[in-house]
């Protein structure tokens, strides 16, 4: 079973408090999403493998550390996941970026796929799927299914706010995927929105409502 990490870092919690507020502007919302993604990326990459490498400082030779193993790719779920990419890339500038287009049908709450473009070598990479919201879990589970169909194996999922229903669905459908969560909220309401949540993440990032 994959691990579920709920981030308890005070900076992450403070910034999540800001994006939850209904009067936070799109400008500040975007800035905060970027900063939260940076901090979450820092925490979520804690277990990356290091190896020893001999280097020379201006003073002496030494054994330093460098990242080894698989290279990374970031895969945002469109649209709202796009808001997290810049922060992730600030931490891992060499990562490649794929895109998965999904939206949730407002009536059925089922995900509708409209786009998928991944780095050609995705099956050899460590993939971080990012989306600010994990509500029913339908979108995240479908995105990961799309990745698996393309032969991708090493998948992690990162979201800023999750509902227990979404966590449960991910654990049932993709039990091997690690989940990195900024805050775990109470429940979903009758429209599939996370309570207390932050409203519609895509609309708040892009100012579309
Ligand atoms: C939001 C969010 C997730 C999805 C979560 O996207 O960014 O992708 O809903 O809900 P779920 O867990 O119940 O599937 P939305 O469908 O509103 O699309 P958008 O990002 O294009 O606005
Ligand atoms: N998608 C969002 O953007 N917000 C929610 O609360 C649920 C799904």
């Amino acid at each position: 079973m994959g691990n579920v990490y709920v981030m308890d870092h005070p900076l992450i919690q403070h910034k999540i408090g800001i994006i939850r507020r209904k009067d936070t502007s799109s400008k500040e919302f975007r800035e905060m999403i970027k900063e939260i993604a940076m901090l979450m990326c820092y925490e979520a990459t804690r277990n990356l493998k290091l190896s020893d490498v001999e280097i020379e400082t201006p003073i002496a030779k030494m054994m330093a550390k460098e990242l080894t193993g698989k290279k990374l790719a970031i895969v945002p779920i469109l649209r709202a996941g796009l808001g997290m990419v810049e922060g992730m890339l600030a931490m891992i500038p060499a990562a490649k970026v794929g895109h998965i287009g999904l939206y949730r049908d407002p009536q059925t709450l089922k995900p509708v796929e409209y786009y998928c473009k991944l780095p050609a070598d995705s099956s050899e990479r460590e993939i971080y799927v990012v989306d600010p919201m994990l509500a029913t879990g339908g979108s995240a589970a479908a995105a990961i299914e799309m990745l698996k169909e393309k032969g991708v194996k090493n998948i992690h999922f990162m979201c800023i706010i999750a509902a227990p229903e979404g966590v449960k669905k991910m654990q049932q459908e993709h039990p091997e995927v690690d989940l990195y969560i900024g805050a775990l909220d109470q429940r979903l309401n009758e429209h599939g929105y996370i309570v207390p949540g932050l409203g519609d993440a895509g609309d708040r990032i892009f100012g579309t409502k």
Side-chain angles (χ1 to χ4, degrees):
M1 177 76 85
N3 294 304
V4 179
Y5 300 95
V6 181
M7 309 274 161
D8 56 2
H9 196 291
L11 288 175
I12 297 177
Q13 293 310 313
H14 176 80
K15 289 170 196 290
I16 291 176
I18 295 173
I19 58 173
R20 286 184 188 278
R21 292 170 184 243
K22 65 179 183 188
D23 48 6
T24 297
S25 68
S26 284
K27 176 177 178 286
E28 194 179 10
F29 193 91
R30 277 195 296 272
E31 286 165 2
M32 287 297 125
I33 292 269
K34 175 187 164 189
E35 290 174 19
I36 293 165
M38 276 171 69
L39 293 164
M40 288 187 69
C41 179
Y42 178 78
E43 293 276 45
T45 48
R46 203 171 263 289
N47 296 328
L48 290 181
K49 303 257 178 314
L50 289 172
S51 55
D52 295 321
V53 56
E54 189 180 277
I55 62 152
E56 214 172 333
T57 78
I59 311 296
K61 285 189 176 169
M62 67 167 287
M63 296 306 286
K65 302 284 183 195
E66 71 176 14
L67 288 169
T68 46
K70 296 193 174 58
K71 295 201 164 40
L72 308 187
I74 302 158
V75 179
I77 301 178
L78 306 180
R79 289 176 301 169
L82 285 175
M84 296 174 73
V85 174
E86 203 182 333
M88 298 284 292
L89 284 175
M91 292 285 106
I92 317 168
K96 291 196 174 169
V97 182
H99 295 87
I100 291 183
L102 286 175
Y103 70 89
R104 210 169 64 146
D105 182 286
Q107 257 75 49
T108 64
L109 299 183
K110 298 276 178 255
V112 182
E113 301 172 10
Y114 61 90
Y115 191 73
C116 182
K117 182 84 179 170
L118 302 174
D121 57 356
S122 288
S123 59
E124 290 148 37
R125 288 179 179 263
E126 207 76 45
I127 304 285
Y128 286 80
V129 178
V130 298
D131 190 325
M133 310 303 277
L134 179 69
T136 64
S139 304
I144 288 167
E145 196 53 45
M146 287 164 82
L147 290 171
K148 287 183 175 174
E149 280 164 12
K150 292 182 185 295
V152 178
K153 287 181 208 74
N154 302 294
I155 307 172
H156 311 256
F157 179 77
M158 195 184 288
C159 66
I160 297 178
I161 299 186
E165 292 87 335
V167 173
K168 192 169 164 206
K169 184 172 178 77
M170 290 290 278
Q171 288 181 319
Q172 279 167 351
E173 296 192 14
H174 302 293
E176 75 290 3
V177 172
D178 284 340
L179 305 180
Y180 300 95
I181 297 170
L184 183 58
D185 276 11
Q186 292 162 14
R187 61 183 174 87
L188 297 177
N189 70 12
E190 62 278 21
H191 306 293
Y193 278 92
I194 299 176
V195 180
L198 51 70
D200 188 305
D203 283 341
R204 297 201 61 185
I205 291 172
F206 297 108
T208 40
K209 223 174 207 165

